[in-house]
Amino acid sequence: MSVNATTPKSTVGPMVIIGALFFIFGFVTWINGPLITFVKLAFSLDTYSKAFMVTTAFYMAYFFLALPSSWILERTGMKKGMALGLLVMAVGTFIFGTYATQRNYNISLAGLFVIGSGLSLLQTASNPYISILGPIETAARRISIMGICNKLAGILSPIVISALVFKDVRDLDKRVAEAGSHEAAEAILNEFAAKIYAPYMVMALILVVLAIWVAKSSLPEINASEINAEPVGDASLAREKTSVLQFPHLLLGALCIFLYVGVEVMAGDAIGAYAQGFNIPPEETTVYTSFTLGAMLVGYIIGLFTIPKVMSQGQALKLSAVLGIVFTAGAYLTAGYVSVAFVALLGLSNALMWPAIWPLAIAGLGKFTEKGSALLVMGIAGGAVIPQLFATLKDSYDFQLVFLLLMGVCYLYILYYAASGHTAGKK
């Protein structure tokens, strides 16, 4: 890795700022788990496939906005781009809080799409930024630190939102069913939906303050195209690349990110719907996302102390995929709380995947780093597609079998990428 004047002399200050951003990523992103239960109740949705539009709207924003985000960042630079992303998130948070209170599902989903759009811009900037802030060989360790910030927020957000919104929700369906009139039933649902307003308005305000802080901070600009210029394979061949699509390890990595985010969201956001398949009450399942995120936090801490001293990024990814297969099988072969516990344990197997996949996929992209990062961010759309497949298929087939097949295929591909996919085109 070559280092130039754009590389900061100390990484501590920039990492504190980026760590704060990753905390925000986590808090906003992992609210989606309890939000699935919230919208199903507040909007009287009759199927989980409709409720899972929460994750579909949120994560599809990454697919549509990733490449435009890379163009924006080329013009604004990473620092201003991060500030802009926070402002876009604030707008989306305001929209969702306002229209969810009014029980307008379509515009509420549009608000989630806007939040995802802002996060797309932030992710496109912050992930390569932290990867190339120091040696690419230790990028997984730095991303693990960011993951700890992200997952701490992810543990907190379902607990906070459940305490503020889901208090006294146990008998909501019963009270609606026993309401004397349609108007009375609507009044009960309106009262429940209104509980989401204050938390989202507070989040919008915090996002605006953070945007101003980042814009005025001492966060240095990094020239990703120059710093991440380590040749891939034959040096002359690497210099002759004319398109980001000429890096097989990147394209395979984008698919790996797609499948990884799918299994991460399944373990984190879909765990409530999975648990309710065993007739576990909704008011209990709304905090289950925190259990998954707790397991992920343990995984990030392990990665912090083991990569690259004990194992390489590729070895960590291989071990994670194997654990994912084992825990998925455990969830299928058991039932009730034990099965749900295996789903939560998937957080442990998923923890080191993002920190390992990202640097393996962008290694040596040079001037294509921003566009390569955008392709990887597009892969986050897996969080929209795979959980929606689960929600749709579980209405017709055994939910445990559907979970096993979807997760099994994803983890097998991730294992392939860890074993050999990340070296494609480098020889």
Side-chain angles (χ1 to χ4, degrees):
M1 185 188 78
S2 61
V3 179
N4 60 21
T6 61
T7 306
K9 295 180 180 179
S10 172
T11 62
V12 175
M15 285 186 67
V16 169
I17 296 173
I18 303 300
L21 294 182
F22 271 79
F23 186 90
I24 296 302
F25 297 169
F27 199 93
V28 174
T29 300
W30 295 109
I31 283 181
N32 287 336
L35 273 190
I36 292 170
T37 299
F38 169 80
V39 300
K40 192 172 188 301
L41 294 171
F43 296 95
S44 300
L45 304 178
D46 56 353
T47 65
Y48 267 107
S49 61
K50 294 178 182 177
F52 268 77
M53 285 302 295
V54 165
T55 55
T56 301
F58 185 88
Y59 286 103
M60 282 307 294
Y62 287 97
F63 180 81
F64 291 109
L65 273 298
L67 282 175
S69 293
S70 70
W71 301 331
I72 292 170
L73 291 171
E74 287 175 359
R75 288 159 178 77
T76 64
M78 290 188 173
K79 179 177 174 179
K80 291 180 181 177
M82 292 177 196
L84 179 60
L86 287 165
L87 287 176
V88 173
M89 287 177 64
V91 172
T93 303
F94 177 82
I95 292 172
F96 180 83
T98 300
Y99 287 94
T101 300
Q102 299 175 14
R103 296 176 62 217
N104 187 322
Y105 196 33
N106 290 333
I107 301 183
S108 296
L109 292 176
L112 291 174
F113 185 88
V114 174
I115 294 173
S117 301
L119 273 169
S120 176
L121 184 55
L122 278 168
Q123 295 269 29
T124 305
S126 61
N127 281 289
Y129 189 99
I130 202 68
S131 293
I132 60 181
L133 190 61
I136 195 73
E137 295 80 10
T138 58
R141 187 169 59 193
R142 291 190 299 280
I143 298 177
S144 290
I145 295 173
M146 299 302 104
I148 291 171
C149 298
N150 183 279
K151 270 53 190 182
L152 279 173
I155 292 170
L156 288 174
S157 61
I159 295 172
V160 171
I161 206 72
S162 295
L164 295 175
V165 176
F166 290 96
K167 186 179 180 181
D168 301 325
V169 75
R170 179 183 294 270
D171 61 342
L172 181 66
D173 285 337
K174 181 180 178 181
R175 287 190 290 125
V176 170
E178 294 177 351
S181 64
H182 174 73
E183 291 75 14
E186 287 295 295
I188 293 171
L189 291 174
N190 288 338
E191 180 184 5
F192 171 66
K195 293 181 179 180
I196 204 72
Y197 183 78
Y200 268 77
M201 293 305 106
V202 171
M203 282 196 295
L205 179 61
I206 291 173
L207 289 167
V208 171
V209 172
L210 280 173
I212 297 171
W213 176 54
V214 169
K216 295 182 177 296
S217 72
S218 58
L219 193 69
E221 283 291 352
I222 293 182
N223 189 327
S225 299
E226 293 181 19
I227 294 178
N228 189 35
E230 186 72 23
V232 178
D234 181 72
S236 61
L237 181 62
R239 287 193 294 269
E240 292 172 1
K241 302 283 187 184
T242 58
S243 169
V244 72
L245 300 178
Q246 294 175 325
F247 295 90
H249 76 287
L250 169 68
L251 301 181
L252 293 173
L255 177 56
C256 196
I257 287 286
F258 180 92
L259 298 176
Y260 154 69
V261 176
V263 296
E264 181 187 55
V265 175
M266 284 283 285
D269 289 344
I271 188 172
Y274 182 92
Q276 289 171 37
F278 295 115
N279 296 318
I280 298 174
E283 67 272 10
E284 184 177 328
T285 65
T286 55
V287 298
Y288 281 6
T289 296
S290 296
F291 299 151
T292 303
L293 272 293
M296 290 192 79
L297 179 60
V298 172
Y300 273 113
I301 294 172
I302 292 172
L304 184 62
F305 291 101
T306 59
I307 301 175
K309 292 181 179 180
V310 177
M311 55 183 171
S312 67
Q313 293 168 160
Q315 290 170 332
L317 185 57
K318 191 182 300 184
L319 176 61
S320 297
V322 171
L323 283 176
I325 293 170
V326 171
F327 292 149
T328 298
Y332 178 72
L333 295 172
T334 56
Y337 288 104
V338 175
S339 181
V340 174
F342 273 113
V343 175
L345 280 173
L346 286 171
L348 178 63
S349 63
N350 294 341
L352 297 183
M353 289 186 178
W354 180 278
I357 296 169
W358 193 277
L360 289 174
I362 70 167
L365 296 188
K367 64 181 179 180
F368 299 105
T369 297
E370 287 90 345
K371 288 185 173 63
S373 297
L375 284 177
L376 294 179
V377 170
M378 289 176 71
I380 295 176
V385 176
I386 294 171
Q388 186 60 249
L389 279 174
F390 171 70
T392 301
L393 293 172
K394 76 184 285 290
D395 289 335
S396 303
Y397 304 97
D398 175 60
F399 73 97
Q400 284 185 282
L401 179 62
V402 172
F403 190 88
L404 172 72
L405 295 176
L406 287 175
M407 302 291 272
V409 168
C410 293
Y411 283 123
L412 285 172
Y413 178 85
I414 294 169
L415 182 60
Y416 153 73
Y417 188 75
S420 61
H422 72 279
T423 65
K426 294 182 180 182
K427 297 180 181 179

